[in-house]
Amino acid sequence: MEAGIAVQQGEATLAERARRMASDHPARVAAAVLVALALALVAAHGLHDTAQRSVNGLISGSYYALGAVGLTLVYGTLKLVNFAHGDMLTFGAYVAFAFNVSIGMPLIAALLIAVALTALLGVAFERVMWRPMRAKGAGLLQLLLMAIGLAFLIRNGIQLVAGTAGRSLDVNVTDSIEFLGLRIGRTELIVVVTGFTTLVLVALMLRVTSLGRQIRALADNFDLAEVTGIDTDRIVIATWIFAAGLAGLAGVLYTASIGVMTPNLGFFLLLGLFAAVILGGIGNAYGALAGGVVLGLVQEWSTLVFDARWKIAVGFAVLILVLIVRPQGIFGRERAL
Amino acid sequence: MLAVTLDAFTSLDFWIGVGVIAGVYAIFALGLQLNVGFTGVVNFGQAGFMAIGAYTMGILVVKAGWSFWLALPAATLVAMAAGVLIGLPALRLRADYFAIVTIAFAEIVRYSAQNARELTGGNQGLLGFDDDWAELSNTFLEWLEGVGLGDEFLLPLLIVTWGALIVLTAILIPLQRSPWGRVLRAIREDEDAARALGKNTFSYKLQSLAIAAALGAIAGYFLALNLSFLNPQSFEPLFTFIGYAVLVLGGLASYVGVALGAVLLWTLLEATRFIDLPLAAEKVAALRFMLVGLVLILLMAFRPQGILGKRDEMVLGD
């Protein structure tokens, strides 16, 4: 009897320790879970298959992360859950299509124009909609529904102009490279390198530049940042330029890597972006980066176990599971709740 | 170049069609009203509950050979159970997280409907669940013709949809005024205060979500009967968002507003048929949804309480 109680207590302390470990070092626990998952997959399906899926996961992780960082920057600074963010990806992709295919510019030029115009779109909506609504003191539901309305406007505006037919950028999606027995598309390689380079630059910008510090200050506490003399208006505009510009870039890179775009592409990606943002702890740019990569990896790994058609549902299931265990997201702080 | 034809506007056929779809959306939005307008629970997964209800009904009838009339209550219970199942973990979250999790849930349901092909028919869809209904509907139509009252095919569906809408509204309004409904409002206004008064707010929110799920499922049955066909595309998140447009057009925290909003929105949407646009069908569809977007944006910017809503009921979410 006494021994039984002792064992129970022992188990309780073990569980308690595990719980404390998970809340003190969430990133370590998440990394450990990922490594354990990877090892289990290597054991069950072999090194080659697991490595190939991991490469695929890093590719999709790169555009999830690009989209998610923008989404989370806007959430962090403005507390706006921007349902139109996915459609800004679509906008970027179609601008690139217009300049690359319809006008015949080189892809790199079309990409830069797409990023610039998407950034401009973000700033325009800030001026026309979001700033006046903030001034009015609009509530969560009001802003949510406006963002959904805006998403409808952008997506269907694109459909009105371009129709629903699938479009492709002028890129080579069939050519692939073999490296250590792993196959990766030439365009995919460019996409993943461009994506991660951009993300590293954004992370550095946030970390070391004065603009980056001000953006983080705003995300941390808008009112406090304002009274300490930060020109919040300027920083908000800068945030939109980054967020929307990254969305435009993500849209172009995604379409280049997948090969085809439709007006719905961003909306279908949006939930993945939300998943990445939440996994990383809403409002945390580094978390969004990590969340995007985790989501990409888990989705691609899942294709070893389930049929590939369940990939997207697996992503959402992971989102719900993580939230049950850790409501503030893997990298989120308790305070953020 | 633009020719406006008002022929459609005067045809009974047209109005019956609008009436059925408006009725479906109104029932759908009743659930959203209960959650968002009265409890402050931002449910974005209503299309998922609708899909669960409709598909469970379809599968029970087509694959398990149940009677349609027995499958309806059973599927409603399944949808309510799903509401409890998703609510248990998700209702502990902050409002914006909750919104995103419920939409993710609705998408999981839709992907399952698309991919569990043996059960749902996948993108080919599920047919043949509505024989019992068609029999009843035809008997009624024959009788109508017998007494010389026309042969409008959708008339029976219109009557039962709006009959159900009126009955459900008549149940919800007194429920809302009951002590139970007052607790829901208290939760919306200030959950901590409600909890301090000893109310188990979590349980109330869960009940609110389960009832909304049942209402979503019921809307799903009427949608299924209207289409005579279940396919995953009918349950996209779009449906939930249009439901929100219906809700805010009529007004938050008003059950009558929901019916008004549904009729107004669908008349507005179908009005694109009056204008003879030189555009492909997909582009006309795009115009309609741009209109939904515009309605949402303008309402939230200039009249967030909607037509029948009260300004002081818009205290949601801070």
Side-chain angles (χ1 to χ4, degrees):
Chain A
M1 184 79 180
E2 270 180 31
I5 291 169
V7 167
Q8 267 184 351
Q9 279 175 342
E11 278 171 355
T13 24
L14 201 66
E16 176 62 20
R17 266 155 76 193
R19 202 195 59 78
R20 204 176 305 141
M21 173 76 189
S23 67
D24 289 349
H25 306 286
R28 277 189 224 169
V29 173
V33 169
L34 274 190
V35 170
L37 269 179
L39 289 177
L41 286 174
V42 169
H45 300 276
L47 182 62
H48 176 267
D49 278 359
T50 309
Q52 180 69 59
R53 303 299 158 107
S54 304
V55 168
N56 299 348
L58 286 176
I59 295 165
S60 48
S62 71
Y63 50 69
Y64 277 140
L66 277 175
V69 169
L71 192 58
T72 216
L73 275 178
V74 166
Y75 181 85
T77 46
L78 304 175
K79 298 288 168 281
L80 171 69
V81 180
N82 186 13
F83 263 88
H85 195 76
D87 300 291
M88 300 184 87
L89 265 79
T90 319
F91 179 80
Y94 274 86
V95 170
F97 171 81
F99 284 92
N100 177 224
V101 178
S102 308
I103 298 182
M105 278 186 177
L107 184 61
I108 181 80
L111 180 143
L112 292 174
I113 295 173
V115 170
L117 288 185
T118 316
L120 197 66
L121 189 73
V123 173
F125 285 121
E126 158 67 15
R127 285 286 148 137
V128 176
M129 271 172 66
W130 305 122
R131 194 165 67 163
M133 290 310 286
R134 275 203 308 281
K136 275 190 187 180
L140 169 77
L141 186 67
Q142 247 174 307
L143 294 178
L144 260 180
L145 293 177
M146 281 185 99
I148 289 170
L150 184 59
F152 273 43
L153 269 190
I154 299 176
R155 186 183 332 148
N156 291 290
I158 292 168
Q159 186 169 322
L160 185 66
V161 175
T164 47
R167 314 270 184 190
S168 300
L169 293 169
D170 183 18
V171 288
N172 182 342
V173 286
T174 50
D175 205 9
S176 69
I177 295 161
E178 289 263 328
F179 179 71
L180 295 174
L182 300 176
R183 204 188 51 76
I184 179 168
R186 221 173 47 148
T187 312
E188 285 177 324
L189 189 64
I190 300 170
V191 162
V192 74
V193 169
T194 314
F196 281 115
T197 310
T198 311
L199 286 167
V200 168
L201 290 177
V202 170
L204 279 177
M205 183 279 295
L206 285 174
R207 178 64 61 193
V208 301
T209 67
S210 125
L211 177 67
R213 275 197 299 273
Q214 290 178 339
I215 290 179
R216 281 189 292 139
L218 239 64
D220 217 34
N221 189 329
F222 197 101
D223 297 332
L224 189 64
E226 198 156 32
V227 296
T228 49
I230 292 177
D231 180 355
T232 50
D233 206 38
R234 196 178 64 94
I235 304 304
V236 167
I237 295 291
T239 305
W240 273 110
I241 290 176
F242 277 110
L246 285 174
L249 180 67
V252 180
L253 292 185
Y254 177 71
T255 336
S257 136
I258 296 299
V260 66
M261 67 181 92
T262 64
N264 281 327
L265 92 91
F267 185 70
F268 285 137
L269 270 176
L270 182 68
L271 275 177
L273 301 186
F274 276 134
V277 163
I278 291 182
L279 288 179
I282 239 176
N284 178 339
Y286 309 112
L289 203 171
V293 174
V294 168
L295 183 71
L297 282 176
V298 170
Q299 281 191 344
E300 289 300 329
W301 285 349
S302 79
T303 61
L304 283 171
V305 184
F306 307 103
D307 193 297
R309 59 193 176 164
W310 291 103
K311 184 162 82 177
I312 296 171
V314 166
F316 301 150
V318 167
L319 168 69
I320 293 176
L321 277 178
V322 167
L323 280 174
I324 293 170
V325 180
R326 197 174 155 79
Q328 70 272 43
I330 299 176
F331 302 97
R333 289 159 298 181
E334 298 279 357
R335 201 172 57 80
L337 278 164
Chain B
M1 209 161 94
L2 285 182
V4 177
T5 49
L6 288 175
D7 302 354
F9 207 50
T10 54
S11 90
L12 186 61
D13 209 33
F14 169 82
W15 285 107
I16 291 177
V18 170
V20 170
I21 193 73
V24 170
Y25 269 91
I27 295 172
F28 182 82
L30 279 180
L32 290 177
Q33 187 69 283
L34 175 65
N35 284 166
V36 184
F38 286 112
T39 324
V41 168
V42 186
N43 167 13
F44 270 15
Q46 188 72 342
F49 296 126
M50 180 167 78
I52 288 180
Y55 268 105
T56 308
M57 177 273 289
I59 291 165
L60 285 177
V61 174
V62 178
K63 307 282 171 177
W66 286 37
S67 129
F68 175 74
W69 309 113
L70 199 61
L72 292 182
T76 311
L77 288 178
V78 170
M80 291 179 85
V84 171
L85 209 65
I86 188 68
L88 278 176
L91 277 171
R92 296 177 197 283
L93 303 170
R94 218 169 55 179
D96 42 5
Y97 283 80
F98 180 80
I100 295 165
V101 167
T102 46
I103 205 179
F105 150 78
E107 281 295 83
I108 292 179
V109 173
R110 189 170 66 86
Y111 280 107
S112 304
Q114 202 167 334
N115 291 318
R117 291 175 202 139
E118 315 72 36
L119 275 179
T120 64
N123 284 326
Q124 262 71 55
L126 193 64
L127 283 159
F129 50 80
D130 54 353
D131 297 349
D132 289 352
W133 159 256
E135 202 180 313
L136 186 76
S137 165
N138 284 335
T139 314
F140 180 69
L141 276 176
E142 275 165 30
W143 176 81
L144 269 185
E145 269 181 274
V147 293
L149 279 171
D151 56 349
E152 291 294 339
F153 173 67
L154 281 176
L155 193 60
L157 187 58
L158 179 78
I159 292 169
V160 291
T161 308
W162 277 80
L165 176 62
I166 291 165
V167 169
L168 291 168
T169 310
I171 295 171
L172 283 168
I173 289 177
L175 198 60
Q176 203 55 55
R177 293 185 180 145
S178 73
W180 183 82
R182 285 203 298 273
V183 175
L184 292 190
R185 279 159 108 102
I187 292 173
R188 185 197 61 190
E189 309 271 329
D190 187 344
E191 191 176 348
D192 293 332
R195 205 182 293 123
L197 290 172
K199 301 295 177 194
N200 183 350
T201 58
F202 184 79
S203 158
Y204 278 91
K205 290 202 285 189
L206 205 56
Q207 292 166 34
S208 173
L209 192 62
I211 296 173
L215 291 163
I218 294 169
Y221 310 142
F222 291 116
L223 180 73
L225 291 179
N226 191 24
L227 301 170
S228 328
F229 167 69
L230 285 173
N231 82 327
Q233 276 71 48
S234 310
F235 303 100
E236 285 188 8
L238 187 74
F239 211 103
T240 305
F241 296 149
I242 297 179
Y244 271 88
V246 163
L247 186 69
V248 295
L249 188 61
L252 270 184
S254 159
Y255 285 121
V256 179
V258 160
L260 178 72
V263 171
L264 279 179
L265 187 74
W266 277 95
T267 308
L268 201 64
L269 285 181
E270 296 289 328
T272 46
R273 288 196 193 165
F274 307 146
I275 307 165
D276 192 13
L277 294 166
L279 286 175
E282 63 188 35
K283 301 202 167 183
V284 177
L287 267 182
R288 291 167 148 202
F289 290 124
M290 286 177 82
L291 195 65
V292 175
L294 215 56
V295 164
L296 274 171
I297 292 175
L298 294 178
L299 272 173
M300 287 301 101
F302 300 111
R303 197 179 161 81
Q305 70 272 39
I307 295 171
L308 293 185
K310 295 186 204 76
R311 181 98 211 180
D312 56 354
E313 301 262 23
M314 273 299 288
V315 291
L316 230 161
D318 32 277

